[in-house]
Amino acid sequence: RNIKLIANEEALIDSVIKNHPERRYIATTKGYWYYYESENTKDTLTPKRGDVAFFDYEIKDLKNRIIYTIADTKPQVYYVDKENIMMGLRDGIKLMKKGETVTFLFPSHMAYGYHGDDKKIGTNEPLICTVSLNDIKVDTQAKN
């Protein structure tokens, strides 16, 4: 059942990607895709475990209908790998550099999965998340 579910979701995501040939989507080994709305090519620093990531994001369904606006999700302060957030965001944030805006296409197993979010996101719903990483506060206590 899960294999069939993932295959269906991947087909839906694939059609979103094919409908936007102007975007350079990047596939990840974790099973989601992303493209840069705005890329920071000057910096190399990305959030690591223990750092604090300050970001904004919105969530849409695969038909591009907004589920949660940036105002709904309010500015996020996330202690990287030390707090429980959506699995896809947890991984995707670590790919980003300060000042970047990235749009992620998450299959449901990287989003809210079978359970949904008990509000607006249903069972097994793939999502489009557009994330702006506003700042990174490096964990100075981290042991290298």
Side-chain angles (χ1 to χ4, degrees):
R1 199 179 78 186
N2 282 346
I3 291 169
K4 195 173 187 180
L5 175 75
I6 291 169
N8 285 342
E9 289 182 14
E10 286 181 353
L12 291 170
I13 289 171
D14 195 48
S15 70
V16 170
I17 291 170
K18 284 189 169 110
N19 285 335
H20 295 282
E22 74 283 2
R23 298 177 182 156
R24 202 186 92 223
Y25 283 92
I26 300 164
T28 67
T29 57
K30 300 269 175 91
Y32 64 90
W33 295 259
Y34 68 96
Y35 72 93
Y36 289 94
E37 302 264 356
S38 62
E39 189 172 4
N40 174 350
T41 54
K42 298 188 301 282
D43 296 326
T44 56
L45 182 70
T46 57
K48 306 274 183 279
R49 179 179 174 80
D51 292 349
V52 183
F54 299 87
F55 68 96
D56 296 305
Y57 72 110
E58 77 173 6
I59 300 175
K60 297 179 184 175
D61 65 18
L62 291 188
K63 292 187 171 87
N64 220 30
R65 295 179 298 220
I66 293 176
I67 299 171
Y68 292 111
T69 65
I70 287 174
D72 292 333
T73 61
K74 46 188 176 321
Q76 297 290 305
V77 178
Y78 168 56
Y79 290 81
V80 179
D81 287 344
K82 294 188 173 189
E83 288 184 86
N84 197 14
I85 63 171
M86 182 195 328
M87 190 184 307
L89 284 179
R90 189 179 320 159
D91 195 68
I93 291 279
K94 293 188 278 190
L95 300 173
M96 297 179 69
K97 293 175 264 186
K98 180 179 173 179
E100 289 185 330
T101 299
V102 174
T103 295
F104 297 95
L105 302 179
F106 294 127
S108 65
H109 68 274
M110 292 298 292
Y112 288 92
Y114 175 75
H115 198 264
D117 75 343
D118 290 331
K119 296 179 190 99
K120 297 181 179 181
I121 297 171
T123 298
N124 297 324
E125 188 166 356
L127 299 173
I128 299 171
C129 293
T130 300
V131 180
S132 296
L133 183 59
N134 302 317
D135 203 0
I136 304 166
K137 183 172 171 258
V138 176
D139 180 6
T140 55
Q141 306 301 310
K143 310 275 188 285
N144 291 335

